[in-house]
Amino acid sequence: MTHEREREREREQPWKSNSMATPPRKQQVSLRGASAKEITRDALLEKVCHERELRNYTRRAAAAALFIQKVWRRYHTTKKVARQLQEEWEMSMTQYDDLMTSGWVSSNVLRPFLFFVTCSSTLHQKLQITTIKCMLTCFKTILQSINSTGIAVKNLIEFIATGKSGLYSSVRRYIMNSNGPLRRKSDVLTDDHFLITASAITLALRPFHVADLNINDVGLSDVKDAAEQYCTFLLTVPWLSQCVPAVLLPAFKHASVLSPCLLTLLISKERIFVEMSKLDQSKFCSSCPNLIPSSGWALANIINLATEYDNGSGDSGRFVQGLDCRVYVHSVITISENLLCWLENCGCPRNEENDEYIGNDESSIETADPDILEKTASLGSLKVSYIEAFKPVYQQWHLMKLLAMAKKDFSMPEADTSAANPSFEYCGKLELIDIAFFYSCMLRIFSSFNPMGGSMPTLNMLSFTPGFLVELWRVLEGSFLCQEDHVGNDDKLCKNGISGSHNDIVMEKKQGRVAKDAGNKWTSVLQKITGKSCNDVDYVQSTNSPLGPSLDDGDACDSWDVEPLRRGSQGISKEISCLLHLFCATYAHLLLVLDDIEFYEKQVPFMLEQQRRIASVLNTLVYNGFSHNNGHHNKPLMDAAVRCLHLLYERDCRHRFSPPSLWIAPARKGRPPIAAAARAHEAVTANLRSADALTSPSMGSVITTTPHVFPFEERVQMFREFIKLDKVSRRMAGEVAGPGPGSIEIVVRRDHIVEDGFKQLNFLGSRLKSWINVSFVSECGLPEAGLDYGGLSKEFLTDISRTAFDPGYGLFSQTSTSERCLIPNTAARLVENGMQMIEFLGRVVGKALYEGILLDYSFSLVFVQKLLGRYSFLDELSTLDPELYRNLMYVKHYEGDVRELSLDFTVTEELLGQRVVTELKSGGKNMAVTNENKLQYVHAIADYKLNRQILPLANAFYRGLIDLISPSWLSLFNASEFNQLLSGGKHDFDVDDLRSNTRYTGGYSEGSRTIKLFWEVITGFEPKERCMLLKFVTSCSRAPLLGFKHLQPTFTIHKVACDVPLWAMIGGQDVDRLPSASTCYNTLKLPTYKRPSTLRNKLLYAISSNAGFELS
């Protein structure tokens, strides 16, 4: 009993005393009485579920075993039946000799074949040899049956032509999957692969072989559907001509297939383009639909299918036989417009997700993800490969054959059947406007896919095609004259590019008289470009003066303002717009290689009078395009016109061929006030929306794009207005704008003026705009007495520039021309702080421009071109190194073999006593100059001297200059005008203007006897002597551009009283003292001379002695 109580106590106590102990066990359940093992309810339920699952698994296993047994039984039965059916099929195919009907082909050929072929592909992992043989037999039988005639065959072909058959989409998927562009070079077509491809292509092209496309024929109306399916699914296959086996390519190129498709494309273009856009969005599109859409591939494929050419030669090629070139040209134009619309809506094709890694930023490239770089490279490679697919377009034979066809007289149908048959709209004569439209679209496409150089091969070809540019301009000129003069009889000339006018006959006769002994090969090439002979050049020179009879006609402004272009690009038709775009792009490209001898003396490709008309047309178009705020209405045209206009204007600035009135003619009547124009220009430059920019939103763009339409004097006023606005804004910002507390003070030793100025001012940067006080220290180290004329004195600027720009100092050198212009010394890069010193001199020049202080120096035009952000070309080398320019012209026009000159693509120069050889291109030391590459050599040398060599130095000077002068301010001027802005006007001045703006001090007045003698004497001076006087007083030999009213400080004549003994005066003796000057005050200290001869002699002596203050 005791033990039982203890056990009961143990069962009760633990779970009461320890809260963490396990609860008491649940109640036990016995299934078989007290003797059975006791289990919980949960264990019982788990055991029951397990037994139930086991029974279900056993039942499913039995069913699966039964199913597998049935499958294997069916497999063996199917295999046996398929083998037996294949044997019977092979026997029937070899023994059947009767006529093939559609029922027999369907029941006895296709259905059994599809059954055992499907079974064979299921039973075997690889095709068996017997199966391949059966495929060959089946496809041969089907092709033979299709070639037969009959209603059944016709119904089958009509069904194939419809979209319900799905044949063309299936053929597209098959070609793209089995002949992709990444495998087209490595795969070797096996017999079965080739047979399937041939059969598929035959089925797809069979509807075109039934009959020629005739929409009015009810029996063949569905063939039009086949052409639409063909255009949608097959012409859009990427690199179709490379994916298709070469032996099958002629089937695609055949005129019976290509011509109906092109004509259908023109008639049903809206529906076809909709289907192409759906194709781009489907899963069966090209590999990169976001980069090149289906219409882009269709364009490339059409050009390749329509042409036959040799990849190794650009001179041989032809269109496929029987092709209607007018339909071909219009088809290309139609697809090109659709592609250009896609490019405009989607933007230029590029890697949109990772644009930040595409560019010239080396740091971004280094940190870019390798996957991104690889993707970018692949996309770039795709674009390059795509442009190469257009190779026939930039081969000369392509254009020459189109031009030859345009000159043929194709007869047009007399009856107007265009309403009954739309295809007649695209029949008839091929015109020059069609060809221009074609190539204009091509240039725009190439530029979109590769802005840097995609259009370069095409422009090279167009530029050197005989007579092409001349013909384009003749049509353009006739069109504008027709609109301007309203001559009804010339409408046909304006519309038609190739006419049979008297001028054409004369031109053809002149082309036939090309001199056999032309001066050299290059001249012959240029004569071919223009279609003119040597006799033509002589005729031009005899009938047209270099500047023309109307060069200086003051009333010629209206004649240079072309009325049809006064609304900009919106005032011309779409056809003329494309014609003008092609002309501008091609001529701008040609202007890059034309030298001055060819342009001015030989007058190729145009006479100078024609050049003036071209300039007037482009000038009117560009100015009115931007002034009417439609500069972006036709951006490709406006970009090409602006580029061509700038090249002509820069050439005119260097060597004048047109009157000044030509360039200002469009804006002669509608120019805004100077202040308003300056504020509008600043608003556009800074992307602000000021009140002036809102009232005249396009004026800023006009000034930025065509500043030359404003006279030079007005642009100088704008420049001063810019500075005035800048000073106002600085004062509002709290900067020191005058003398007093807060201004910067420096101390400069006269014998170390450049070094001291560099150390104390270079770090200031844009703060040089502020007021700066200068104190000079003599050679003895003592401060000089006297006052500086406010801030950074004129004397300091003139002295530091005189020292630093001296060739003996080593930073700048002089050109070998007669002007002796300044240009940075290339050896300055190797001198300690050389680049920093040049940058500092840029700030000095900027300060002089900012304060309106004239410096009596002129920079080389080539150097100034770099400061203005402009590229220099071959002819500008004559202003830098005339001897080198003459040598290059000798090489360019060399008649014999250039190899005799032993030249290579290197340039040798001497730097600090050492000879340095620089390669003009990679491997230039081992590349000899030949007749074929001599033009490249000439331009490579010019590019090195004019751009590559001087660019680092120009960039350093530019960085200092723009600290004070905004680049947008400098853009108003050309290179020669920049020099005038810096050093003043012409080498003479208006005496009356100086007299009216002269201040008198010390007792002088305008009525003083000596003053009257002074004006009388300098009026009789030679221009050179007057300039010497001006330099004697102001340190600059030129007058301010806007007159002496803007000279700071004002020109002053100060009286120097001289006591002369009475006996000397009675004896006729005059004052012996010489005149002196204080240049920092622009003051002439003039003694009281009594006789004009004495004043003249003393004044000439003083200004010739090159001394000033020390004469006092």
Side-chain angles (χ1 to χ4, degrees):
M1 294 294 292
T2 303
H3 294 290
E4 291 178 358
R5 290 193 190 104
E6 292 177 354
R7 284 194 296 271
E8 291 177 359
R9 193 179 295 114
E10 291 176 356
R11 287 194 297 269
E12 296 174 358
Q13 295 295 331
W15 65 273
K16 292 182 179 180
S17 60
N18 189 1
S19 61
M20 299 301 294
T22 58
R25 292 182 299 173
K26 295 182 180 181
Q27 185 179 359
Q28 301 290 322
V29 179
S30 175
L31 297 179
R32 295 184 181 181
S35 61
K37 183 178 179 180
E38 296 178 355
I39 62 175
T40 64
R41 184 181 300 274
D42 293 338
L44 177 62
L45 293 176
E46 182 178 357
K47 183 177 180 181
V48 171
C49 291
H50 178 71
E51 291 177 353
R52 185 180 300 166
E53 290 178 0
L54 184 62
R55 288 193 298 270
N56 291 336
Y57 174 79
T58 304
R59 187 164 49 252
R60 288 196 301 269
L66 182 62
F67 176 76
I68 292 174
Q69 192 176 23
K70 291 181 180 179
V71 169
W72 276 102
R73 187 181 297 115
R74 185 173 60 182
Y75 169 78
H76 287 288
T77 303
T78 303
K79 181 178 180 181
K80 181 178 179 180
V81 172
R83 186 175 301 167
Q84 181 180 357
L85 183 62
Q86 182 176 354
E87 293 176 356
E88 294 177 357
W89 185 86
E90 292 177 356
M91 187 178 298
S92 64
M93 295 302 296
T94 56
Q95 295 179 357
Y96 186 82
D97 295 332
D98 295 338
L99 180 64
M100 298 181 186
T101 62
S102 59
W104 182 84
V105 172
S106 175
S107 302
N108 295 16
V109 179
L110 287 179
R111 291 184 179 181
F113 172 76
L114 294 176
F115 175 76
F116 69 75
V117 164
T118 304
C119 294
S120 177
S121 62
T122 303
L123 302 178
H124 305 283
Q125 293 182 352
K126 296 182 179 180
L127 290 176
Q128 302 297 313
I129 297 178
T130 55
T131 305
I132 295 176
K133 292 181 179 179
C134 291
M135 288 182 180
L136 295 174
T137 304
C138 180
F139 287 140
K140 290 179 181 178
T141 304
I142 293 175
L143 295 178
Q144 292 176 4
S145 65
I146 291 180
N147 289 329
S148 62
T149 58
I151 298 178
V153 174
K154 183 177 180 180
N155 293 336
L156 176 62
I157 293 175
E158 291 181 355
F159 176 72
I160 290 175
T162 61
K164 298 179 182 179
S165 65
L167 172 66
Y168 292 94
S169 60
S170 300
V171 173
R172 171 189 172 85
R173 290 197 297 270
Y174 174 78
I175 294 177
M176 293 183 63
N177 292 333
S178 58
N179 298 280
L182 299 179
R183 295 178 291 176
R184 64 184 183 274
K185 296 182 179 179
S186 58
D187 284 353
V188 178
L189 290 177
T190 58
D191 292 340
D192 58 328
H193 189 182
F194 174 78
L195 181 61
I196 295 174
T197 304
S199 301
I201 292 175
T202 302
L203 289 173
L205 301 183
R206 180 57 183 164
F208 301 100
H209 296 158
V210 174
D212 293 335
L213 183 61
N214 189 347
I215 299 178
N216 292 325
D217 190 342
V218 179
L220 296 176
S221 60
D222 289 335
V223 179
K224 170 176 165 290
D225 297 331
E228 293 181 2
Q229 297 288 314
Y230 179 89
C231 293
T232 303
F233 292 103
L234 294 188
L235 285 183
T236 56
V237 174
W239 290 288
L240 176 63
S241 59
Q242 301 180 37
C243 293
V244 175
V247 70
L248 301 177
L249 196 57
F252 284 90
K253 289 176 171 285
H254 199 274
S256 62
V257 175
L258 191 58
S259 294
C261 290
L262 297 182
L263 194 55
T264 302
L265 176 64
L266 294 173
I267 298 173
S268 307
K269 55 186 176 183
E270 292 82 4
R271 183 163 56 251
I272 293 176
F273 288 146
V274 170
E275 295 299 323
M276 286 184 180
S277 63
K278 293 180 181 179
L279 191 63
D280 289 333
Q281 301 172 4
S282 67
K283 62 180 180 179
F284 302 112
C285 62
S286 61
S287 58
C288 297
N290 294 329
L291 184 64
I292 303 175
S294 296
S295 59
W297 292 116
L299 178 64
N301 291 330
I302 287 175
I303 292 175
N304 279 273
L305 293 177
T307 57
E308 296 177 350
Y309 62 96
D310 183 9
N311 286 323
S313 174
D315 298 331
S316 61
R318 65 183 183 89
F319 295 104
V320 296
Q321 187 176 2
L323 178 68
D324 187 343
C325 287
R326 179 176 173 84
V327 175
Y328 160 72
V329 169
H330 277 277
S331 300
V332 171
I333 293 173
T334 301
I335 301 181
S336 298
E337 289 180 327
N338 180 268
L339 177 59
L340 289 170
C341 182
W342 182 89
L343 291 173
E344 183 178 354
N345 294 332
C346 300
C348 295
R350 57 182 180 180
N351 187 5
E352 297 178 355
E353 298 178 359
N354 305 288
D355 280 342
E356 63 273 19
Y357 298 108
I358 304 176
N360 297 323
D361 190 354
E362 297 180 358
S363 61
S364 64
I365 294 177
E366 292 176 358
T367 59
D369 189 346
D371 295 336
I372 294 176
L373 294 178
E374 182 178 359
K375 182 179 179 181
T376 301
S378 62
L379 293 179
S381 176
L382 177 62
K383 289 190 288 186
V384 172
S385 301
Y386 176 73
I387 293 178
E388 289 179 354
F390 291 85
K391 190 173 183 179
V393 173
Y394 50 81
Q395 291 182 340
Q396 197 174 64
W397 68 264
H398 187 276
L399 175 60
M400 294 297 293
K401 290 187 179 296
L402 290 179
L403 291 175
M405 294 178 185
K407 290 183 179 180
K408 293 182 180 179
D409 187 15
F410 293 113
S411 59
M412 294 289 292
E414 295 182 2
D416 186 9
T417 57
S418 58
N421 190 346
S423 64
F424 281 107
E425 179 184 353
Y426 305 101
C427 300
K429 183 180 179 181
L430 181 66
E431 299 176 355
L432 181 64
I433 192 68
D434 302 325
I435 303 174
F437 215 131
F438 178 98
Y439 281 98
S440 175
C441 292
M442 291 296 103
L443 290 179
R444 294 169 59 189
I445 291 173
F446 295 158
S447 298
S448 298
F449 282 99
N450 186 3
M452 295 301 296
S455 58
M456 192 68 66
T458 307
L459 290 174
N460 286 335
M461 181 273 299
L462 294 173
S463 300
F464 289 92
T465 299
F468 182 63
L469 262 177
V470 176
E471 194 63 35
L472 287 179
W473 173 245
R474 187 185 62 79
V475 177
L476 286 171
E477 188 177 27
S479 174
F480 296 137
L481 289 177
C482 285
Q483 296 181 41
E484 195 168 10
D485 299 336
H486 304 285
V487 180
N489 295 331
D490 293 338
D491 289 341
K492 185 176 180 180
L493 172 63
C494 298
K495 181 179 179 181
N496 192 353
I498 310 293
S499 66
S501 64
H502 174 72
N503 293 333
D504 296 330
I505 300 175
V506 174
M507 180 63 69
E508 291 177 359
K509 291 181 179 180
K510 289 182 179 180
Q511 290 176 351
R513 298 196 303 266
V514 176
K516 297 181 180 180
D517 54 346
N520 50 59
K521 295 181 179 179
W522 177 245
T523 304
S524 300
V525 171
L526 288 172
Q527 289 169 358
K528 291 180 180 179
I529 295 175
T530 60
K532 293 190 289 188
S533 66
C534 293
N535 295 333
D536 298 331
V537 177
D538 295 336
Y539 173 77
V540 170
Q541 294 176 346
S542 63
T543 57
N544 293 278
S545 62
L547 294 178
S550 61
L551 182 61
D552 298 322
D553 187 0
D555 299 329
C557 286
D558 290 337
S559 64
W560 298 124
D561 188 12
V562 184
E563 183 178 356
L565 298 175
R566 289 177 182 173
R567 293 176 53 202
S569 59
Q570 292 182 346
I572 56 179
S573 64
K574 183 178 180 180
E575 292 76 12
I576 297 300
S577 176
C578 287
L579 197 68
L580 188 56
H581 166 254
L582 182 64
F583 173 81
C584 292
T586 305
Y587 191 40
H589 186 74
L590 183 62
L591 283 172
L592 300 179
V593 298
L594 282 179
D595 57 50
D596 286 347
I597 296 176
E598 296 149 353
F599 188 91
Y600 293 98
E601 297 181 12
K602 299 178 181 178
Q603 298 191 20
V604 290
F606 300 107
M607 297 179 292
L608 291 180
E609 182 61 32
Q610 292 176 306
Q611 301 283 11
R612 290 191 281 273
R613 289 198 292 268
I614 293 172
S616 66
V617 166
L618 299 182
N619 198 39
T620 307
L621 171 67
V622 173
Y623 171 79
N624 288 284
F626 285 98
S627 63
H628 290 90
N629 204 23
N630 58 17
H632 300 286
H633 172 257
N634 191 338
K635 193 173 185 302
L637 168 61
M638 296 305 294
D639 289 345
V642 167
R643 176 172 174 78
C644 189
L645 176 64
H646 285 173
L647 290 173
L648 286 172
Y649 177 69
E650 291 174 4
R651 190 178 289 263
D652 182 71
C653 293
R654 188 176 65 253
H655 188 174
R656 184 178 170 192
F657 68 87
S658 61
S661 59
L662 184 151
W663 303 110
I664 65 175
R668 184 172 61 92
K669 299 179 180 179
R671 288 196 298 270
I674 301 300
R679 287 192 289 270
H681 176 71
E682 286 290 88
V684 171
T685 304
N687 290 324
L688 299 176
R689 292 186 178 273
S690 64
D692 291 304
L694 290 175
T695 56
S696 183
S698 59
M699 187 51 59
S701 298
V702 169
I703 302 174
T704 303
T705 308
T706 57
H708 57 260
V709 299
F710 292 84
F712 176 60
E713 293 75 12
E714 293 187 10
R715 282 179 279 139
V716 174
Q717 295 179 38
M718 289 184 198
F719 180 80
R720 303 314 307 176
E721 185 69 22
F722 293 151
I723 295 176
K724 178 181 177 182
L725 294 174
D726 184 73
K727 289 181 177 180
V728 171
S729 64
R730 287 175 47 242
R731 282 196 298 267
M732 295 177 63
E735 294 187 29
V736 178
S743 61
I744 301 173
E745 296 186 2
I746 63 172
V747 178
V748 178
R749 296 171 295 174
R750 285 195 179 273
D751 54 343
H752 295 83
I753 189 170
V754 178
E755 294 79 2
D756 291 348
F758 172 74
K759 291 178 182 178
Q760 299 180 63
L761 297 179
N762 187 53
F763 70 93
L764 294 177
S766 61
R767 290 180 60 197
L768 272 175
K769 294 179 179 180
S770 301
W771 195 274
I772 302 176
N773 292 318
V774 180
S775 297
F776 288 100
V777 176
S778 66
E779 296 181 0
C780 300
L782 299 176
E784 294 185 359
L787 296 175
D788 184 15
Y789 181 77
L792 184 58
S793 70
K794 177 170 169 269
E795 182 180 2
F796 170 74
L797 284 176
T798 54
D799 288 349
I800 194 174
S801 60
R802 182 185 301 112
T803 304
F805 291 138
D806 191 313
Y809 196 81
L811 294 178
F812 276 75
S813 59
Q814 291 180 330
T815 61
S816 57
T817 60
S818 58
E819 292 82 5
R820 311 300 292 176
C821 296
L822 294 173
I823 192 168
N825 191 342
T826 55
R829 294 177 296 175
L830 308 178
V831 179
E832 183 180 1
N833 293 330
M835 300 297 285
Q836 291 83 352
M837 291 288 288
I838 290 180
E839 183 175 338
F840 170 65
L841 292 180
R843 295 188 178 96
V844 171
V845 171
K847 179 64 174 177
L849 292 173
Y850 193 82
E851 300 295 344
I853 298 174
L854 299 179
L855 299 179
D856 199 12
Y857 302 98
S858 292
F859 293 106
S860 169
L861 299 182
V862 174
F863 175 62
V864 179
Q865 285 279 70
K866 300 298 158 294
L867 302 181
L868 300 178
R870 296 164 189 167
Y871 191 85
S872 298
F873 299 100
L874 174 62
D875 292 304
E876 296 176 55
L877 185 61
S878 61
T879 65
L880 181 66
D881 192 339
E883 183 179 359
L884 177 60
Y885 177 76
R886 288 192 297 268
N887 292 338
L888 291 180
M889 290 300 98
Y890 176 79
V891 174
K892 181 178 179 180
H893 299 282
Y894 190 72
E895 298 181 9
D897 188 357
V898 180
R899 292 180 182 271
E900 300 172 356
L901 304 179
S902 301
L903 299 174
D904 56 24
F905 279 80
T906 61
V907 59
T908 304
E909 53 188 339
E910 186 173 344
L911 293 176
L912 299 180
Q914 296 183 352
R915 296 173 63 85
V916 179
V917 178
T918 304
E919 289 186 336
L920 299 175
K921 59 194 310 184
S922 180
K925 293 182 179 179
N926 303 320
M927 187 178 301
V929 179
T930 63
N931 288 340
E932 289 73 22
N933 62 18
K934 67 178 182 181
L935 194 58
Q936 298 179 19
Y937 170 78
V938 169
H939 286 276
I941 288 284
D943 177 65
Y944 178 79
K945 289 291 185 180
L946 298 173
N947 301 294
R948 292 170 52 189
Q949 186 182 52
I950 198 177
L951 189 59
L953 300 165
N955 286 340
F957 193 93
Y958 176 77
R959 288 192 298 270
L961 180 64
I962 63 174
D963 277 343
L964 292 93
I965 305 298
S966 172
S968 63
W969 304 351
L970 296 176
S971 65
L972 298 178
F973 308 100
N974 58 46
S976 60
E977 291 171 345
F978 176 87
N979 279 331
Q980 294 183 54
L981 191 67
L982 177 64
S983 58
K986 301 178 181 179
H987 290 283
D988 197 4
F989 60 84
D990 185 0
V991 176
D992 293 334
D993 180 37
L994 178 61
R995 175 186 294 179
S996 60
N997 292 283
T998 297
R999 187 168 62 99
Y1000 305 99
T1001 61
Y1004 276 146
S1005 65
E1006 189 174 359
S1008 300
R1009 172 180 171 81
T1010 303
I1011 297 300
K1012 292 181 178 180
L1013 294 177
F1014 172 79
W1015 294 119
E1016 180 183 342
V1017 167
I1018 67 169
T1019 302
F1021 274 0
E1022 297 291 334
K1024 181 179 180 181
E1025 294 171 339
R1026 281 194 291 266
C1027 291
M1028 292 172 61
L1029 170 65
L1030 193 60
K1031 185 170 184 178
F1032 177 76
V1033 180
T1034 67
S1035 74
C1036 184
S1037 61
R1038 300 184 183 184
L1041 292 174
L1042 302 179
F1044 286 98
K1045 178 181 178 181
H1046 297 272
L1047 180 65
Q1048 293 297 330
T1050 304
F1051 189 90
T1052 303
I1053 301 179
H1054 181 74
K1055 181 178 180 180
V1056 179
C1058 298
D1059 295 330
V1060 181
L1062 182 60
W1063 61 268
M1065 295 181 61
I1066 296 175
Q1069 185 177 353
D1070 207 342
V1071 179
D1072 282 337
R1073 186 169 182 174
L1074 292 173
S1076 62
S1078 179
T1079 57
C1080 59
Y1081 290 100
N1082 292 338
T1083 299
L1084 173 65
K1085 299 176 181 180
L1086 186 66
T1088 54
Y1089 299 112
K1090 305 301 180 181
R1091 288 192 295 269
S1093 59
T1094 304
L1095 191 151
R1096 176 184 176 86
N1097 294 333
K1098 296 293 185 180
L1099 197 57
L1100 286 177
Y1101 181 84
I1103 64 179
S1104 302
S1105 63
N1106 197 24
F1109 183 80
E1110 60 270 23
L1111 295 178
S1112 299

